[in-house]
Amino acid sequence: MDFQFYPTGAHTAARMWAKFKRPIGVVCDPSAGQGHLWMHAQNGFEGVPEEDLPWVVELPDEETQGRYSIRLRQRARFKFSNEGEHRRGRKGFLAVEIDAQHHAALRELGATVLGYDFMDIESLATVDQVIMNPPFADGAKHVLHAWSRVYDAEIVAIVNAETIRNPYSQERKRLVELIDLHGSVEYLHDQFTNNVDRKTDVEVALIYLEKKPEAMFDMDAILRGLKQGDNSRGPEIEPEMCNALALPENFVSNVYRYFVRAVDTARVAAEATAIAVQASNCLGLNLEAMQAKGVGNNAGRESISVRDTANARFQNAYRELKKQAWAQIIRSSLLTNKLSNQARRKVEAEAEAIYQLEFSVANVHGFLSGLFASMGDIYADMVCGLFDNIVGRSNDNVAFYKTWKSNERHRFGMRLKRTRFIIPNFSVTWGGSLCYESEQFLADIDKVFGYLHGVSESYDGLVQAFNRARSDQGDRISTRYFDFRFYKGAGTMHFYPKSQEVIEKLNRFVGARRQWLPDQMDQANGDFNKQYDEAETLTKKYDDAWKKSASRRGYISRVYAATNEMQTDEHRETCKSMANCIDKVHEDLGLHCGPALTAAAPVKALEMAKEEAPKPQPKSYNEPEQLDLLAA
């Protein structure tokens, strides 16, 4: 797909940055590409002569005096970078880029990526400067979109010169009017022909726009706007996705509507507070304060910038509201009903990155779409996580076997015992109900086994059964996939799979994913299947060999060593020692585990084929020698 990617050169970037009149604050590049506009500023517009940098040539060509000498002009090159004195406290560089391949490069530059398609961005209310090189085919549309989304900001953009010189469309006419009223335009030649990554011979128009609030606020207009109801824009979530994620169809639009209302009200509150502070300062101190400080009525009358104060308050409020809005999505029924505790925490661990995204219907749609597309991997992690949790709770739950493929990490395989497994450390409240963590663990089992058996809706699982029955009395309770018994005094719960198929779904899934087992069990020979099927019995022999092993690491659990994500040398030695014990037992029992097709079979087949093959014919000296080679 052609995203009209024409990176901006250093000369053009310098001319664009020089247009800004206000101190640089929060900068957004809505068509960021690989971040060239930002990169050139950070590099001090390397390669551009000083005479082409107007903010540089206005300084005297002399060195600063102090511990380290540096040319004033050299330091001034970095006026728009993070190195400038005036840049202390800047809040960041925001980027929007439709080509996801560039996102990694942008983050390397320190950018916060707001989204993909700039036309889907709903608000740039906290942005101070917009610098943009939009697609030339849609230049007017992108600049107008930026104008409509900023609140109090400067915009610098380069577009095709014809966009301004030939305003035949309503969009172009509107842009020309904005330039006349709120900015200026300059025409440049040869900006994409020299010292650029991708060349094009086109004249460009360099546009500067400054947007100021026409009035601080109109309370009646704001309240009338709030009564209009749904103000959401952008695509709705597809019905099939809502069903898959258990989300009501109007969930996202409702959250977005509340967010818009809160943002509008926060802006009014920030502006009103700033005006109130300014008015209060004009009054000065009260009598008690004057008496305490021993001053007259002229003290305490400090003037503030109403605009700066209002913007600072609004930006803080806006960031918090955005966090609140994203939190509604992160903690929606998608995460509470579909994901395990571990999977949910993994998503929530990325909350800070999610908060950086602009909160819009389009971005929520993209976030949920990404989760929906990743559900296979998410559930795979859930299944393996539950398996590790169960085997990690008690070694008595585990049966060992020789793996299908051996490597440093997986020297031996494990499976849950088919008849019963035990989970300790369950607790209940005084009322007999499960404590939160214990209930969430049962819920994880329900989710995983529902997934493994293709059940997407709610079913008669462990949580429902525990809450329904008097489970704390030690009775054996039956559910769809398990019977279980809870021993309140010991705090243990015993699970009895209703069939081997129930527990084998979990064992086979984890075994195949970790290459402990082949994808299909018929790929393995009889000895491999025998040692897997009889793993409970053989594990007793493995344990005896383990206890006798001089090289065993007695203080490191074999289960922990095999499942720990960060394996040390000691973990690897433990796995190696256990694998050697299994091999010793197999050698004593005469078990030779391997592929289903043994070494003897293909030899015999070749001999039979040789006996049935036609006798070779006498060589004809008229035929090319290659025919004999091919027939051999």
Side-chain angles (χ1 to χ4, degrees):
M1 183 179 292
D2 183 12
F3 292 121
Q4 300 184 54
F5 176 53
Y6 288 91
T8 312
H11 283 78
T12 307
R15 300 189 74 154
M16 294 176 70
W17 283 94
K19 289 290 184 181
F20 291 126
K21 301 174 182 178
R22 306 181 189 178
I24 302 300
V26 179
V27 180
C28 178
D29 185 348
S31 305
Q34 296 176 348
H36 284 76
L37 280 169
W38 179 251
M39 193 188 314
H40 292 314
Q42 298 305 302
N43 294 336
F45 307 97
E46 188 176 6
V48 179
E50 290 182 358
E51 55 267 28
D52 291 339
L53 304 176
W55 69 92
V56 172
V57 295
E58 67 184 16
L59 297 174
D61 189 8
E62 60 186 32
E63 293 185 349
T64 59
Q65 301 300 318
R67 184 175 181 183
Y68 299 103
S69 297
I70 187 174
R71 290 180 64 239
L72 290 175
R73 290 187 173 184
Q74 179 62 25
R75 187 174 65 179
R77 278 182 170 273
F78 297 90
K79 174 181 179 180
F80 304 105
S81 74
N82 290 334
E83 298 180 18
E85 285 291 323
H86 65 286
R87 302 291 284 159
R88 291 176 182 174
R90 68 173 295 279
K91 301 182 179 68
F93 170 49
L94 312 180
V96 183
E97 174 51 37
I98 196 168
D99 190 345
Q101 297 182 62
H102 297 326
H103 285 194
L106 290 169
R107 292 191 177 97
E108 281 292 318
L109 292 173
T112 297
V113 179
L114 295 180
Y116 297 89
D117 190 344
F118 176 55
M119 301 307 293
D120 289 333
I121 296 297
E122 296 287 352
S123 176
L124 295 174
T126 63
V127 170
D128 299 299
Q129 279 89 17
V130 175
I131 187 166
M132 59 195 303
N133 174 9
F136 275 12
D138 298 309
K141 182 186 298 185
H142 279 241
V143 176
L144 290 176
H145 189 72
W147 178 266
S148 66
R149 296 301 181 254
V150 298
Y151 177 59
D152 185 4
E154 296 173 286
I155 299 173
V156 173
I158 52 173
V159 300
N160 191 323
E162 284 298 301
T163 301
I164 309 302
R165 284 180 169 156
N166 185 20
Y168 62 84
S169 67
Q170 290 298 320
E171 290 174 343
R172 291 187 176 189
K173 290 177 182 177
R174 171 60 177 157
L175 180 56
V176 170
E177 291 174 356
L178 287 178
I179 294 171
D180 290 340
L181 294 172
H182 304 286
S184 61
V185 62
E186 178 184 358
Y187 297 97
L188 307 175
H189 297 272
D190 303 324
Q191 297 301 300
F192 292 89
T193 56
N194 298 314
N195 299 319
V196 293
D197 293 344
R198 191 178 178 191
K199 297 181 179 181
T200 180
D201 186 13
V202 63
E203 183 185 19
V204 300
L206 175 55
I207 298 171
Y208 171 80
L209 295 171
E210 184 178 24
K211 186 175 183 179
K212 298 178 181 178
E214 295 181 3
M216 288 307 295
F217 66 92
D218 183 341
M219 182 62 74
D220 292 336
I222 292 295
L223 293 178
R224 285 196 300 270
L226 293 179
K227 296 178 183 179
Q228 294 175 3
D230 189 357
N231 295 323
S232 65
R233 297 178 292 272
E236 292 296 332
I237 304 298
E238 289 88 346
E240 59 269 21
M241 187 181 296
C242 291
N243 295 333
L245 302 179
L247 289 171
E249 291 188 27
N250 62 345
F251 173 74
V252 176
S253 58
N254 282 343
V255 173
Y256 180 75
R257 182 174 68 249
Y258 299 143
F259 173 70
V260 170
R261 289 182 177 181
V263 168
D264 288 342
T265 309
R267 180 182 289 117
V268 172
E271 293 167 348
T273 301
I275 293 174
V277 170
Q278 170 69 351
S280 175
N281 287 351
C282 291
L283 285 175
L285 302 177
N286 61 30
L287 183 59
E288 289 79 5
M290 292 183 204
Q291 291 172 340
K293 295 182 178 181
V295 295
N297 66 342
N298 290 324
R301 296 183 179 182
E302 299 177 358
S303 178
I304 66 168
S305 168
V306 174
R307 176 193 294 173
D308 290 346
T309 302
N311 278 341
R313 288 177 177 273
F314 172 65
Q315 288 173 8
N316 290 333
Y318 182 84
R319 282 190 290 271
E320 290 304 313
L321 290 172
K322 194 164 63 164
K323 286 184 178 181
Q324 289 177 251
W326 276 115
Q328 297 305 308
I329 305 300
I330 294 172
R331 277 298 180 96
S332 66
S333 56
L334 164 66
L335 301 178
T336 56
N337 295 345
K338 291 290 184 181
L339 301 184
S340 69
N341 259 351
Q342 181 181 0
R344 177 177 56 78
R345 290 190 185 109
K346 187 175 182 179
V347 173
E348 291 184 1
E350 301 296 325
E352 286 302 322
I354 295 172
Y355 292 155
Q356 300 302 320
L357 295 171
E358 185 68 34
F359 189 78
S360 64
V361 174
N363 268 350
V364 173
H365 180 278
F367 171 70
L368 295 180
S369 296
L371 281 180
F372 180 64
S374 302
M375 287 303 286
D377 291 336
I378 290 174
Y379 272 115
D381 289 343
M382 285 173 55
V383 174
C384 292
L386 177 66
F387 178 91
D388 292 345
N389 201 337
I390 294 175
V391 299
R393 294 287 187 102
S394 173
N395 288 341
D396 292 335
N397 297 333
V398 183
F400 299 106
Y401 59 89
K402 184 178 179 65
T403 58
W404 177 248
K405 293 184 178 181
S406 178
N407 54 46
E408 284 296 318
R409 178 170 176 77
H410 299 302
R411 291 297 188 102
F412 57 88
M414 296 176 288
R415 67 171 174 78
L416 296 184
K417 292 181 177 179
R418 292 166 173 163
T419 54
R420 184 190 67 173
F421 60 88
I422 303 171
I423 303 296
N425 303 322
F426 268 84
S427 57
V428 295
T429 65
W430 287 106
S433 60
L434 281 172
C435 293
Y436 178 79
E437 289 299 326
S438 299
E439 183 173 350
Q440 290 305 305
F441 184 81
L442 290 187
D444 287 353
I445 297 178
D446 287 338
K447 293 167 188 173
V448 165
F449 279 89
Y451 167 74
L452 290 173
H453 290 81
V455 179
S456 58
E457 70 278 0
S458 177
Y459 67 91
D460 183 25
L462 297 167
V463 175
Q464 290 184 9
F466 193 99
N467 292 332
R468 182 179 64 247
R470 293 301 303 273
S471 304
D472 59 335
Q473 302 302 307
D475 299 334
R476 183 158 172 158
I477 310 299
S478 181
T479 68
R480 182 165 182 170
Y481 298 119
F482 295 94
D483 289 345
F484 70 92
R485 191 191 302 272
F486 176 56
Y487 295 91
K488 182 178 179 181
T492 60
M493 191 172 291
H494 294 222
F495 297 85
Y496 308 90
K498 285 193 169 181
S499 68
Q500 284 195 7
E501 179 188 0
V502 167
I503 205 68
E504 276 307 288
K505 287 271 190 180
L506 178 61
N507 285 331
R508 296 283 179 87
F509 185 97
V510 176
R513 186 169 179 85
R514 292 178 172 170
Q515 296 186 333
W516 297 343
L517 297 174
D519 293 333
Q520 302 295 330
M521 293 301 286
D522 58 9
Q523 295 176 256
N525 65 7
D527 283 355
F528 185 94
N529 287 300
K530 177 182 176 65
Q531 61 102 26
Y532 176 80
D533 290 333
E534 299 178 7
E536 278 93 337
T537 301
L538 291 174
T539 294
K540 297 177 182 178
K541 297 181 182 296
Y542 304 150
D543 287 342
D544 290 340
W546 172 258
K547 293 173 184 177
K548 298 174 184 178
S549 173
S551 61
R552 70 184 178 93
R553 301 282 178 167
Y555 56 90
I556 296 180
S557 163
R558 291 164 289 172
V559 172
Y560 180 75
T563 58
N564 187 27
E565 289 294 328
M566 302 295 292
Q567 282 197 329
T568 65
D569 291 339
E570 291 177 331
H571 293 135
R572 286 188 285 270
E573 284 298 317
T574 298
C575 292
K576 182 179 179 180
S577 180
M578 182 59 184
N580 291 338
C581 292
I582 294 175
D583 289 340
K584 178 65 169 58
V585 172
H586 284 192
E587 183 180 349
D588 294 343
L589 297 175
L591 293 174
H592 301 283
C593 302
L597 190 61
T598 64
V603 173
K604 184 176 181 181
L606 286 174
E607 290 176 349
M608 292 177 61
K610 187 174 181 181
E611 292 175 358
E612 298 173 359
K615 301 296 183 181
Q617 299 297 317
K619 179 179 177 180
S620 170
Y621 292 97
N622 295 326
E623 294 177 341
E625 291 186 3
Q626 285 89 339
L627 295 180
D628 288 337
L629 294 174
L630 292 172

